[in-house]
Amino acid sequence: AQSVTQPDIHITVSEGASLELRCNYSYGATPYLFWYVQSPGQGLQLLLKYFSGDTLVQGIKGFEAEFKRSQSSFNLRKPSVHWSDAAEYFCAVGYFSGGGADGLTFGKGTHLIIQP
Amino acid sequence: DTAVSQTPKYLVTQMGNDKSIKCEQNLGHDTMYWYKQDSKKFLKIMFSYNNKELIINETVPNRFSPKSPDKAHLNLHINSLELGDSAVYFCASRAPGGGEKLFFGSGTQLSVL
């Protein structure tokens, strides 16, 4: 069964500083990997996704993530955070068999706090 | 236009009641889902529904039942609500042909008193 681990429940970063959110996954096949952001009281917004090809993927809002198969990781990065980046961030692995149960398995999320 | 819409956005009700949450997608997708996000923000799949095939997460109580009147709708019915059902419920849909991007609704916050 697939699983996703986000080891950091909370992260506090100063505005303008760089950010890295960690994500490790467990999946028996080539993973489809996603990062979603959830602002307070809002739904989920897709930041970026990895299916294949270049292991460094660019997303919206200046975010990027790097897929490292050897480490089973898909860490999210941003060179300079803004106060508006404060939110909950979810890493997810997608399982799409075309016939059976499918969907996304989410990590438990990382709460990002931006301090002035 | 909203791609995946859920109603209501907030639902407050008493234990033992039966309630429904509606979900509609106007994207022409053929697979829809319900997810539950608990108080600790953990998202867990409840159901996936594709071409009349329902896949149920075995941990979901049978008080929960999805109903799909047509391809664009997947409503969630909950019978005999319990305190532990309080959570945010998200509907999502996926494009046909294996497109892996899920589109999420904005969520329904259910509070059971």
Side-chain angles (χ1 to χ4, degrees):
Chain A
Q2 60 284 330
S3 65
V4 179
T5 302
Q6 292 180 246
D8 303 306
I9 298 174
H10 300 276
I11 281 190
T12 300
V13 178
S14 297
E15 190 169 13
S18 63
L19 169 71
E20 183 170 32
L21 302 182
R22 296 183 291 165
C23 173
N24 292 95
Y25 68 91
S26 171
Y27 187 61
T30 300
Y32 298 106
L33 296 163
F34 305 80
W35 274 100
Y36 282 86
V37 60
Q38 184 181 29
S39 297
Q42 301 297 313
L44 291 159
Q45 181 181 24
L46 179 66
L47 283 176
L48 48 79
K49 60 186 184 293
Y50 171 78
F51 294 163
S52 63
D54 192 346
T55 56
L56 184 64
V57 293
Q58 303 297 320
I60 62 171
K61 303 185 179 185
F63 285 92
E64 66 177 27
E66 186 171 13
F67 169 59
K68 293 185 177 180
R69 185 185 297 275
S70 61
Q71 298 176 18
S72 297
S73 69
F74 189 56
N75 294 347
L76 181 71
R77 301 194 293 249
K78 187 170 184 178
S80 175
V81 297
H82 185 261
W83 64 266
S84 60
D85 293 325
E88 195 83 20
Y89 290 80
F90 293 92
C91 182
V93 60
Y95 51 104
F96 302 101
S97 64
D102 62 6
L104 296 176
T105 296
F106 286 87
K108 295 194 174 184
T110 298
H111 185 59
L112 177 63
I113 300 166
I114 308 295
Q115 60 184 20
Chain B
D1 288 339
T2 302
V4 182
S5 60
Q6 296 178 229
T7 54
K9 190 172 176 63
Y10 301 97
L11 181 57
V12 181
T13 188
Q14 291 187 320
M15 283 176 55
N17 285 348
D18 303 335
K19 290 294 179 184
S20 296
I21 305 172
K22 295 184 178 181
C23 177
E24 176 182 5
Q25 53 92 5
N26 61 7
L27 299 166
H29 291 173
D30 62 356
T31 304
M32 296 182 71
Y33 307 83
W34 278 103
Y35 283 81
K36 179 181 180 181
Q37 185 178 42
D38 62 24
S39 59
K40 295 185 178 180
K41 301 290 187 180
F42 184 47
L43 276 153
K44 193 168 185 179
I45 191 168
M46 301 176 70
F47 305 100
S48 70
Y49 190 84
N50 181 320
N51 292 328
K52 301 185 180 179
E53 181 188 12
L54 177 65
I55 306 295
I56 303 170
N57 184 322
E58 62 187 11
T59 66
V60 175
N62 57 15
R63 298 181 294 104
F64 290 78
S65 58
K67 298 281 193 308
S68 182
D70 55 59
K71 195 174 162 183
H73 296 83
L74 184 67
N75 303 326
L76 182 64
H77 297 272
I78 316 170
N79 295 327
S80 303
L81 278 156
E82 300 177 359
L83 292 177
D85 298 332
S86 296
V88 181
Y89 293 84
F90 286 97
C91 178
S93 71
R94 180 167 72 93
E100 287 77 13
K101 180 179 176 181
L102 265 64
F103 292 78
F104 282 87
S106 57
T108 296
Q109 183 164 338
L110 172 64
S111 299
V112 182
L113 307 178

